[in-house]
Amino acid sequence: MTHSQFRALQDWVGQLQRILQWEAEHDFVNSRGHSGYFAEVVAQGLAEAPLTTLRNSDTCAELRDGFSAYSTWPLQQRRQWVVRTRQWLHHQRLHYQVQATAPSPDRSPPGAQPPLAQVEGIGPRLAAKLMGAGLRTVEDLLRHYPRDYIDYSRLLRIRALRPGETVTVVGTVRRSHAFVSSRNHNLAILELQLQDSTGRLRVTRFYAGRRFTSPRWLQRQRRLFPPGATVAASGLVKAGPYGPSLKDPLLEVLDSGAVTTTASSGRRILPVYPPTDGLSAESLRRAVQAVLPMADRQQDHLTEPWRQRFGVIPLAEAFTTIHQPPSEAARQAARHRLVFDEFLDLQLGLLRRRQRQRAQAMADLPMAPMAGTSDLVTAFLALLPFQLTSAQERVLQQVRKDLQVTAPMGRLVQGDVGSGKTVVAIIALLEVIAAGGQGALMAPTEVLAAQHYHKLCTWMVQLHVPVALLTGSTPERQRQAVLRDLETGAVKLVVGTHALLEEPVTFFRLGLVVIDEQHRFGVHQRSRLLNKGEAPHLLTMTATPIPRTLALSIHGDLEVSQIDELPPGRQPVTTTILTPGEREQAYGAIRTVASHGERAYVILPLVDESDKLKLRSAVQEHQRLARTVFPNLNVVLLHGRLTSGSKQDVLEAFVSGKAQVLVSTTVVEVGMDVPDATVMVIEHAERFGLAQLHQLRGRIGRGQAPSRCFLVSESQQAVARQRLEVLTRSRDGFEIAEMDLRFRGPGQVLGTRQSGLPDLALASLTSDGTVLEKARDAAKLLLKEDPQLRTVPQLRARLDAQNKRLASASRLN
Ligand code: ADP
Ligand code: MG
């Protein structure tokens, strides 16, 4: 790839990333821009990839197809799709960047790594195919770990299958049939009959979508599963009229039957590799086998003494064993070493970043006074109508300690919704301002930024602290003025969205950055801000508790504080699940509270009408509520597609009490603070994650009056109901997040955050927690005894390379 081709690719990726980012910032409402709706623009953009290989790739096609249905999807799915697309783009860029830069000599030291084409048993043809799959070196192949293993000694025989079990069976293809359904022209069906020594089994897979019904695709399936091939099928056994069958299982060709097998025969445990474009399972297995003898030429970046101390086996042994485990115990030891390495890299990377930040602190980082509070903070505390809780006091002490040293603070404050994180942040900001610095408060959405700003204005005017708002929709003239005032130091405190991260913001003396609802920002955004030059203090805040493994992986470079106490006098929120027929209960409650001057939210999952999902559109629902249900109340509507001016008007009406009912999409999810709101109705509750529902619910119960939350769910499914019942029982954010994880699995729960995670090949954040802790301790020990990593030069070189990669990635993301 030439340099200019790469530039074109980079521009293309950058442009799409910006659009995707915008959508993420606007709650996935399928926002409308100059050239049309978000989903259309992205689909079009994907179709215009600057490289033919990209345009024609299956993933690209799949992503495009997704965006054509995007407008009909629920929030969760939209979010996932956007994340997936961003990750894919990100990887494409990294992939081609590697190609565009000439291979560096230190990557393949002479002698240690012969080109794959010269390895005995691989040869130029296979090497070319491997290259196409991104496997370029001996090490690439060694690190291409099996996705699974088939243990022939413990394999289930077909005769022993029982309906209801999830199994893996291996059999020979007797008959193979790929065809288009006669009833549905968009459905392709693959039918295999598998046989082993004990019986036969029917296996069916369905593929919905036009792409799958092309003659080319069907032909490929027939070639992929020819009679005589050995296939592993994993899935749920169903009872059928002709005996047991597997429906929509995972299929893996172990051996195409065309070649006599040497690799698999006689071995008890057979590795199964992730499917790879353009390569059969056998060729891949053959290639890995061919490089295994070279495993011990790989340098082990951990020397023997360190290995002893960390309790891990040599790298070469781990490579050989992971691909060819003699036993389960050996496989686990091998996996442990490799997982340990992945986490060690990660932790060292984070800890070293922290080291560097400390080293590049601002020349005169504004510092809080050693004793007592500044006059400014004392004046602020006097304005507050309440006392700080002891949890707030404790966290504040931790923050103040950080602010008293010359190294920049890096702290994450976790606290349930309504625990009063904002006040803590404001006090920290004021300390820094009192010490002569400037502060920045960043929020993930414009609504929240504006709310923070208005709240701050009332206080800051009294304290004579000039404050400004800067978001993506700040008019150009005003923007220029704010930028100028930030540069001269006339503005002490700026509140904003991502716009704050965008190019030409120069501060006179930026001392502290607060990131509110930090989980809604990408980790890369955080590092981008920190890369802006000298490191200021950093305080991040989140209401979404995350498992410790995840916290350590993403925020390993931050200290963590917890506000684990709610302000006194909080009324617990009573939560009830209603069927659509029981909605009138909720409406009755709204009428009652409105007559006392209190207010209510009605939350809807989507903005636009979509017949398919039978969701009431917010617009329609607003009209219905305003006209027929609450003709005597003032009902207003808030959604992501309103201009920021109208959003402000709507919010003001609701805050002041001119409007009693706010119909809204999930833009209120984060941070809205209206103490007089005491009822919340959430439509289609089953479409939301528990943690999200808990956050939404946190918008009420903020004043003195008791509050009620109604979850309306049409779902008849027992699981959906069980899931929602967690909320009627628990008010503990951590417990709820835990249950959410169990119900929905890590993939969905972690969704957007994953974009901040490094690529882990083997390690699992949900099940390798103990290895992660060990690796973190190891990293600390290493850095303590050998801060420059002199005893482990290879490890150091690798980390430096990784760091370079991350730095370029953060510019992109
Ligand atoms: P969150 O942690 O969800 O961001 P906020 O900072 O928005 O919570 O605080 C929620 C509400 O509680 C706000 O109205 C705030 O003024 C109020 N609050 C904060 N601290 C206290 C306290 N110590 N006592 C009483 N009310 C408080
Ligand atoms: Mg908040």
Side-chain angles (χ1 to χ4, degrees), residues 70 459 462 519-520 601 626 681 761 790 792:
Y70 186 86
W459 287 320
Q462 299 176 67
H519 60 284
R520 302 266 306 235
Y601 294 100
V681 182
R790 291 214 173 83
V792 280

Side-chain angles (χ1 to χ4, degrees), residues 427-438:
I427 294 175
L429 286 164
L430 288 176
E431 286 294 11
V432 167
I433 291 169
Q438 287 168 299

